[in-house]
Amino acid sequence: MASTEPRTSNEAWPALPQSEWSETCATLQIWAQIVGKIRLALMPPANHTWNVTLYPTVRGLTTSPMWQGTRILQIDFDFIDHVLTLQTDKGDRQDVPLRPMTVAAFYQKVIAALEDLGTPVRIWPVPVEVAEPIPFDEDVTHKAYDPEYVERFWRILLQTTRVFNTFRSRYIGKVSPIHLFWGALDLACTRFSGRSAPEHPGVVGLPDHVTRDAYSHEVSSCGFWPGAPGMEPLFYSYAYPQPEGFPESAVQPAAASFEKALGEFILPYEDMRQSADPEEALLQFLESTYEAAATTAHWDRQALESPSWLSSVKGTSEVA
């Protein structure tokens, strides 16, 4: 059924039914992987693969500055004017219009733009975390681009970043940046207990060394995922290693549940956006699922959580 919502939607939490933009979502995921792999090639390794991620901006997504020797390159998706901008610290710039085109064509344009800027980059030209991956230069299957739904997705990323920042500020232990992992196109934020974790068994579509580095220590991780054909967008929260009793924990809001097949708690995006207070519903989900992980895994919450946040939870304004 076609969406009844107006095509132009600037509200904070716009509708994002997968059926309306599945092909665009799949294409955007692979385009983001091309840009993300450039960042992977240029940035020095960082723990938990934090060196490869993208970040929401007031216009789209950015790599932030990357270094090729002493030269500096930055690549930005602009989802307002719908253009990919590649620019250097020398003031040079190349633009690739974002419009319906094959992955192969997009890949060729990006590689050519890098050459024209004098910042050539070689990447492994095969997508990850997708079924039946097609090399970038051979992919003429994925070619959809609906600017309206891309803009809706980006606006959700921005608003999610806003709420995640509030959640992130309540923790003084090790916590990740709020960043977009281009493999699955999900925005994530991860809290760490500080304790090491057992070796991860691996994830299909990713090298073992990537997942074992990502999960080298105990985590409680949350994020937003735009969905896939047959799966609507959702917020997720999981723990690794998964503590005994975690799936049975009571969490909020009422629309949240543990999805056994995924091994994580989920809150459907549509349920969140339709709630009386979407931001509060999302914060309830983030806090209650983290508390489920920290409690069942016996984290030292007194040492890890912000004193001001602990005071507010206890019903006092006193700050330790």
Side-chain angles (χ1 to χ4, degrees):
M1 181 181 295
S3 173
T4 57
E5 185 161 328
R7 286 287 294 169
T8 54
S9 177
N10 292 326
E11 64 178 301
W13 302 103
L16 195 70
Q18 251 293 319
S19 60
E20 295 291 317
W21 80 303
S22 288
E23 293 183 1
T24 292
C25 185
T27 301
L28 182 63
Q29 179 182 359
I30 300 175
W31 287 2
Q33 292 201 16
I34 292 171
V35 173
K37 281 172 176 276
I38 294 169
R39 181 165 165 78
L40 170 63
L42 293 180
M43 297 298 288
N47 56 340
H48 316 302
T49 326
W50 291 352
N51 58 302
V52 310
T53 53
L54 304 179
Y55 306 90
T57 72
V58 294
R59 299 189 70 90
L61 292 169
T62 185
T63 59
S64 71
M66 304 175 289
W67 288 263
Q68 190 183 61
T70 59
R71 299 202 63 184
I72 302 172
L73 170 70
Q74 181 169 305
I75 304 178
D76 296 286
F77 283 97
D78 183 333
F79 295 141
I80 295 178
D81 289 339
H82 297 284
V83 62
L84 182 78
T85 299
L86 302 88
Q87 51 193 329
T88 73
D89 61 318
K90 304 298 184 183
D92 301 318
R93 171 173 169 160
Q94 291 285 321
D95 290 340
V96 177
L98 300 177
R99 59 173 184 258
M101 75 176 90
T102 65
V103 167
F106 179 82
Y107 175 67
Q108 291 167 359
K109 290 178 184 292
V110 171
I111 295 301
L114 291 169
E115 294 281 351
D116 289 343
L117 289 171
T119 55
V121 179
R122 294 185 63 183
I123 63 174
W124 184 51
V126 181
V128 296
E129 298 186 61
V130 297
E132 300 178 357
I134 306 170
F136 299 142
D137 56 352
E138 300 175 14
D139 188 351
V140 294
T141 299
H142 300 97
K143 55 188 175 183
Y145 188 82
D146 185 329
E148 167 62 23
Y149 279 93
V150 170
E151 184 173 340
R152 292 188 188 195
F153 170 59
W154 156 66
R155 290 190 182 279
I156 294 167
L157 293 182
L158 276 184
Q159 296 302 327
T160 299
T161 299
R162 174 173 63 87
V163 178
F164 277 16
N165 265 309
T166 298
F167 173 67
R168 187 179 188 276
S169 72
R170 298 170 176 176
Y171 200 72
I172 59 175
K174 177 180 173 179
V175 59
S176 77
I178 298 165
H179 44 203
L180 185 130
F181 282 101
W182 37 263
L185 210 61
D186 63 312
L187 189 75
C189 181
T190 301
R191 290 177 171 183
F192 293 78
S193 73
R195 301 187 303 228
S196 60
E199 186 174 86
H200 197 281
V203 174
V204 175
L206 280 177
D208 286 346
H209 72 86
V210 173
T211 52
R212 288 171 184 168
D213 171 62
Y215 299 109
S216 60
H217 290 71
E218 285 186 332
V219 301
S220 171
S221 189
C222 61
F224 169 76
W225 179 57
M231 295 188 69
E232 292 301 312
L234 54 82
F235 295 97
Y236 64 79
S237 181
Y238 64 87
Y240 181 81
Q242 188 179 106
E244 184 178 352
F246 176 68
E248 293 77 33
S249 301
V251 301
Q252 295 179 303
S257 63
F258 188 82
E259 178 59 51
K260 188 174 182 181
L262 299 176
E264 57 194 21
F265 284 100
I266 66 167
L267 173 62
Y269 170 70
E270 186 64 16
D271 286 322
M272 186 279 292
R273 73 177 289 266
Q274 293 287 0
S275 65
D277 188 338
E279 289 84 356
E280 180 59 26
L282 179 51
L283 278 171
Q284 287 179 351
F285 177 72
L286 300 176
E287 290 292 352
S288 65
T289 54
Y290 157 71
E291 289 173 7
T295 299
T296 56
H298 308 293
W299 287 20
D300 185 354
R301 296 182 59 188
Q302 189 70 34
L304 295 169
E305 296 172 16
S306 167
S308 59
W309 170 237
L310 284 173
S311 296
S312 68
V313 170
K314 294 174 182 176
T316 174
S317 61
E318 180 182 351
V319 177

